[in-house]
């Protein structure tokens, strides 16, 4: 053994200590730089597993749908309006970028997944879904539209039949398929009595995994407001283009402001003014943290459509700073929901004769029986209108028409009936649940006033239906009804805005006291022509062209 061996043995630990110290000092930086990459690789690996798992189902689905689509011209009965007639109405692109993409996307035959867990609910959001699918079918006849739904109690035929009866939208069955989710309860508000926003968003991620375990689409579009699912899709499948049709942001700047009892919005919404004290302080922190996370997920979406100017403004204020690069190429666009304006014009007459023989002193409210629709405000306002004891009130009636989604909605209807009984007006208020389209048409013919009581209603399809049918609208002084719908036409009013039950009551009285209502009804109908199904289809196709181009 040489004299240098002990020296080399004693120096080895010293070098090990130095190397270990350097490594430990660099570890945080390695983790900082490496964790995002590792996280992305993990996401892609999980996405790969989902893709491999669903390959068999995808192959069978495509084969069956293609076969049915080839047979459909022989099996489909002729309808009153042909698809070629519909296509002529919607084929003119309004977007220069979309026009350039048409050649590239002409014969696309991929799968578009529509995430809409409550597709059979029968509300305005569902009208958007079905009109979007119909427009997609007209533009890409070979494309497959797959709807992820939790409505297990209904079959494909049931859903398509209800779409026809409720919305008068005729889908092409061979290119529509439904995949049934098993974990929809995770997104119900009742599942999360505390921390509801965060709970439902977490639940949407679980429901999203449920969806992707059934099928990985070529394009993924959320039409119900679950932005977190779109972020999950991007995490698992970076190459799958994503689109969002936002009816209402999950959290908005108005909601954040409403927590402050000193702000002008401190009395609005179910959480209005709850930002005081320690509990309120915690709630403020929770909401602001949630808003930041919501923005991160929103930043991942490729194409963002909103249903109104109000929603567009709020989405841009929240998501805009996080998606500047995406917005530079594909800006957030307002795509007004489709309304059956032309059909209503044909079905409902506006004339002096109909004013005398058909119209009655009916105040009509068409809305799902959800808490935010604030039916209680409208019932209270009608009670106060009756107290005014004007001549129109003697023969007036309040009619509430809407769909019931679940037991919670049924409970709300029961509570409203109790309220009417307590106010002594039960004989003057009618409830019509899950009404068919022909029934709704009949009420639109007979009613004189259309009312909407929701604060910051995102758009208000029902309000446009009122206008198209010639009803004079009394709407909440906020959101889409105020900014986009009930606006002056030719410098003259088409309806009234109100905030309190007293405001609504006085507005009803003002409408009934108009000597000649026909000119106002005609102006309302003219206003409604900005929101036709054809206008929606054009803008929807323009935005979807971009998604299809990304998927090619």
């Amino acid at each position: 053994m040489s004299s240098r061996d002990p020296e080399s043995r004693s120096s080895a630990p010293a070098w090990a200590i130095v190397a270990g110290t350097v490594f430990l000092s660099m570890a945080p930086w390695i983790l900082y730089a490496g964790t995002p990459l590792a996280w992305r690789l993990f996401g892609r690996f999980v996405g790969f597993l989902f893709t491999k798992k669903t390959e068999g189902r995808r192959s069978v689905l495509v084969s069956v749908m293609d076969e049915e689509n080839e047979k459909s011209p022989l099996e489909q009965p002729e309808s009153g309006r042909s698809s070629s007639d519909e296509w002529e109405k919607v084929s003119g692109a309004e977007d220069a970028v979309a026009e350039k993409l048409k050649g590239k996307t002409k014969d696309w035959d991929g799968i578009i997944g529509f995430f809409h867990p409550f597709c059979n609910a029968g509300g305005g959001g569902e009208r958007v879904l079905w009109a979007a699918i119909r427009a997609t079918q007209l533009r890409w006849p070979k494309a497959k539209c797959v709807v992820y739904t939790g409505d297990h109690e209904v079959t494909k035929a049931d859903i398509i039949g209800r779409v026809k009866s409720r919305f008068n939208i005729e889908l092409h069955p061979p290119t529509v398929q439904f995949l049934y989710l098993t974990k929809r309860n995770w997104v119900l508000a009742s599942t999360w009595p505390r921390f509801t926003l965060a709970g439902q968003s977490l639940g949407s991620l679980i429901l999203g995994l449920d969806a992707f375990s059934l099928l990985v689409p070529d394009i993924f579009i959320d039409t119900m407001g679950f932005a977190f699912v779109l972020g999950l899709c991007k995490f698992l499948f970076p190459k799958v283009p994503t689109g969002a049709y936002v009816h209402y942001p999950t959290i908005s700047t108005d909601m954040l402001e409403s927590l402050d009892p000193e702000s002008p919005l401190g009395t609005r919404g179910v959480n209005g003014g709850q930002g005081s004290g320690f509990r309120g302080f915690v709630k403020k922190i929770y909401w602001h943290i949630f808003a930041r996370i919501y923005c991160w997920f929103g930043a991942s979406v490729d194409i963002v459509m909103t249903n109104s100017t109000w929603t567009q403004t709020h989405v841009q204020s929240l998501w805009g700073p996080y998606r500047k690069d995406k917005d530079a190429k594909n800006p957030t666009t307002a795509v007004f929901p489709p309304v059956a304006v032309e059909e209503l014009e044909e079905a409902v007459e506006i004339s002096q004769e109909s004013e005398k023989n058909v119209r009655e002193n009916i105040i009509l409210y068409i809305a799902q029986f959800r808490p935010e629709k604030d039916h209680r405000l409208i019932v209270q306002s009608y009670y106060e209108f009756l107290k005014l004891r004007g001549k129109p009130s003697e023969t007036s009636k309040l009619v509430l028409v809407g769909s019931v989604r679940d037991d919670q909605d049924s409970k709300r209807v029961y509570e409203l009936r109790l309220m009417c009984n307590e106010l002594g007006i039960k004989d003057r208020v009618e409830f019509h649940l899950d009404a068919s389209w022909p029934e709704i048409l009949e009420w639109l013919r007979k009613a004189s006033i259309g009312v909407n009581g929701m604060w910051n209603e995102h758009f208000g399809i029902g309000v446009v239906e009122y206008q198209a049918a010639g009803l004079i609208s009394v709407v909440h002084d906020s959101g889409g009804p105020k900014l986009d719908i009930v606006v002056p036409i030719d410098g003259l009013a088409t309806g009234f805005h109100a905030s309190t039950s007293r405001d609504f009551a006085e507005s009803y009285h003002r409408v009934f006291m108009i000597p000649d209502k026909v000119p106002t009804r005609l102006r309302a109908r003219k206003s409604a022509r900005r929101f036709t199904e054809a206008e929606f289809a054009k803008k929807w196709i323009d935005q979807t062209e971009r998604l299809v181009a990304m998927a090619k």
Side-chain angles (χ1 to χ4, degrees):
M1 183 180 292
S2 70
S3 61
R4 286 176 295 183
D5 285 340
E7 196 174 314
S8 62
R9 285 197 299 269
S10 63
S11 63
W15 280 107
I17 292 170
V18 172
T21 303
V22 172
F23 175 79
L24 289 174
S25 64
M26 292 180 64
W29 299 103
I30 294 171
L31 289 172
Y32 179 79
T35 300
L37 176 60
W39 189 241
R40 286 195 297 272
L41 291 174
F42 172 73
R44 295 189 183 192
F45 175 69
V46 174
F48 171 76
L49 294 180
F50 275 120
T51 302
K52 297 300 289 183
K53 177 189 175 184
T54 61
E55 274 182 351
R57 178 182 282 113
R58 179 190 178 98
S59 178
V60 172
L61 198 66
V62 169
S63 177
V64 170
M65 294 176 81
D66 281 340
E67 184 178 347
E68 289 181 356
N69 198 27
E70 288 175 7
K71 294 178 181 178
S72 63
L74 297 175
E75 296 177 354
Q76 287 284 82
E78 292 185 11
S79 60
R81 57 180 182 181
S82 69
S83 59
S84 60
D85 292 336
E86 289 183 81
W87 177 242
E88 284 182 14
K89 292 182 180 180
V90 305
S91 58
E94 298 187 348
D95 188 302
V97 174
E99 186 66 38
K100 292 179 181 178
L101 294 173
K102 275 191 172 182
K104 183 178 179 181
T105 66
K106 182 180 178 182
D107 298 318
W108 189 72
D109 62 352
I111 296 175
I112 300 181
F114 291 87
F115 191 76
H116 205 108
F118 297 88
C119 77
N120 202 42
E126 286 67 57
R127 178 184 281 278
V128 168
L129 169 67
W130 306 125
I133 289 177
R134 182 58 182 159
T136 302
Q137 290 179 323
L138 290 171
R139 173 63 183 87
W140 296 280
K142 296 180 181 179
K144 289 85 181 167
C145 298
V146 173
V147 181
Y148 299 95
T149 179
D151 296 305
H152 288 262
E153 69 281 2
V154 288
T155 65
K156 173 179 174 177
D158 293 334
I159 295 173
I160 291 177
R162 190 177 190 211
V163 172
K164 174 63 177 174
S165 65
R166 174 67 179 87
F167 302 115
N168 198 32
I169 295 174
E170 193 164 351
L171 300 176
H172 184 52
T175 56
V176 181
Q177 191 55 264
F178 298 88
L179 295 180
Y180 292 90
L181 305 169
T182 60
K183 296 177 174 58
R184 191 174 71 176
N185 61 299
W186 284 87
V187 298
L188 296 176
S190 58
T191 305
W192 307 95
R194 298 287 183 271
F195 298 100
T196 308
L197 287 178
Q200 286 184 296
S201 297
L202 173 63
S204 73
L205 294 176
I206 295 171
L207 195 60
L209 291 173
D210 188 14
F212 297 134
S213 72
L214 297 173
L215 180 74
V216 178
D218 299 309
I219 293 172
F220 187 67
I221 301 176
D222 166 57
T223 51
M224 205 169 173
F226 292 111
F228 282 66
V229 179
L230 295 170
L232 175 66
C233 180
K234 232 16 167 183
F235 173 64
L236 298 176
F237 319 105
K239 293 185 179 180
V240 174
T242 56
Y245 188 93
V246 184
H247 296 274
Y248 202 84
T250 304
I251 192 165
S252 68
T253 51
D254 283 355
M255 287 175 63
L256 295 171
E257 188 180 345
S258 71
L259 288 177
D260 185 356
E262 302 299 322
S263 80
L265 302 179
T267 59
R268 297 295 184 189
V270 294
N271 292 284
Q274 293 188 12
S276 57
F278 176 75
R279 184 170 179 168
F281 174 73
V282 172
K283 194 178 191 75
K284 278 184 179 179
I285 294 175
Y286 158 51
W287 274 21
H288 278 86
I289 292 173
F290 177 83
R292 179 65 61 88
I293 297 171
Y294 178 63
C295 292
W296 289 342
F297 277 89
S300 71
V301 186
D302 293 309
I303 297 293
V304 179
M305 294 171 270
T306 65
N307 66 343
S308 69
T309 301
W310 183 91
T311 308
Q312 181 184 29
T313 301
H314 282 75
V315 166
Q316 286 176 328
S317 68
L318 288 166
W319 292 1
Y322 296 84
R323 47 178 294 114
K324 291 180 180 178
D325 292 339
K326 289 185 184 295
D327 274 339
K329 296 178 181 178
N330 300 299
T332 300
T333 304
V335 178
F336 293 131
V339 185
V341 173
E342 293 170 334
E343 181 186 352
L344 285 165
E345 287 186 356
E346 292 176 5
V348 181
E349 179 186 353
I350 300 177
S351 65
Q352 293 296 345
E353 184 178 353
S354 65
E355 197 69 24
K356 291 179 182 179
N357 301 325
V358 181
R359 296 285 183 189
E360 301 176 23
N361 288 341
I362 292 174
I363 301 170
L364 178 66
Y365 190 15
I366 301 175
Q368 288 180 317
F369 287 95
R370 307 197 321 249
E372 61 270 24
K373 296 298 182 180
D374 208 348
H375 287 80
R376 296 183 67 86
L377 170 65
I378 301 308
V379 170
Q380 179 66 33
S381 69
Y382 181 63
Y383 169 72
E384 293 185 22
F385 166 68
L386 294 178
K387 287 170 62 178
L388 295 177
R389 299 189 182 280
K391 187 174 181 180
S393 68
E394 297 173 2
T395 57
S396 68
K397 181 164 58 177
L398 174 63
V399 176
L400 306 177
V401 178
S403 58
V404 175
R405 301 167 302 169
D406 51 32
D407 291 342
Q408 291 298 314
D409 286 357
S410 297
K411 181 181 177 181
R412 271 184 284 277
V413 172
Y414 174 72
E415 290 171 348
L416 286 169
R417 291 183 189 274
L418 285 180
M419 180 180 180
C420 292
N421 187 50
E422 291 169 358
L423 293 174
I425 59 172
K426 66 175 183 178
D427 295 333
R428 308 288 293 273
V429 181
E430 292 186 17
F431 292 80
H432 294 272
L433 313 182
D434 297 318
S436 67
W437 180 242
E439 290 177 280
I440 291 172
L441 274 179
E442 191 57 34
W443 285 116
L444 289 169
R445 288 189 189 99
K446 294 194 294 186
S448 186
I449 295 175
V451 64
N452 181 289
M454 180 177 171
W455 172 64
N456 273 345
E457 172 79 88
H458 38 279
F459 179 68
I461 287 179
V463 179
V464 180
E465 290 176 342
Y466 298 156
Q467 290 191 326
L471 277 68
I472 299 173
S473 301
V474 178
V475 300
H476 200 282
D477 190 26
S478 63
K482 174 186 179 180
L483 297 174
D484 294 321
I485 305 173
V486 184
V487 297
I489 295 294
D490 301 328
L492 298 171
T494 57
F496 298 91
H497 303 153
S499 297
T500 65
S501 57
R502 181 71 180 183
D503 293 340
F504 277 94
E506 292 176 351
S507 295
Y508 305 152
H509 183 75
R510 289 173 66 186
V511 173
F512 283 129
M513 296 308 293
I514 296 174
D516 183 5
K517 300 179 183 63
V518 171
T520 308
R521 297 194 193 284
L522 290 172
R523 284 197 301 275
R525 174 166 284 182
K526 184 177 180 180
S527 172
R529 290 179 184 137
R530 297 172 293 140
F531 310 108
T532 63
E533 291 175 329
E535 288 300 312
F536 167 81
K538 286 179 185 177
K539 292 182 178 179
W540 173 269
I541 290 171
D542 284 351
Q543 297 305 307
T544 310
E545 291 274 8
R546 297 167 181 254
L547 288 170
V548 173
M550 294 177 197
K552 292 283 280 189

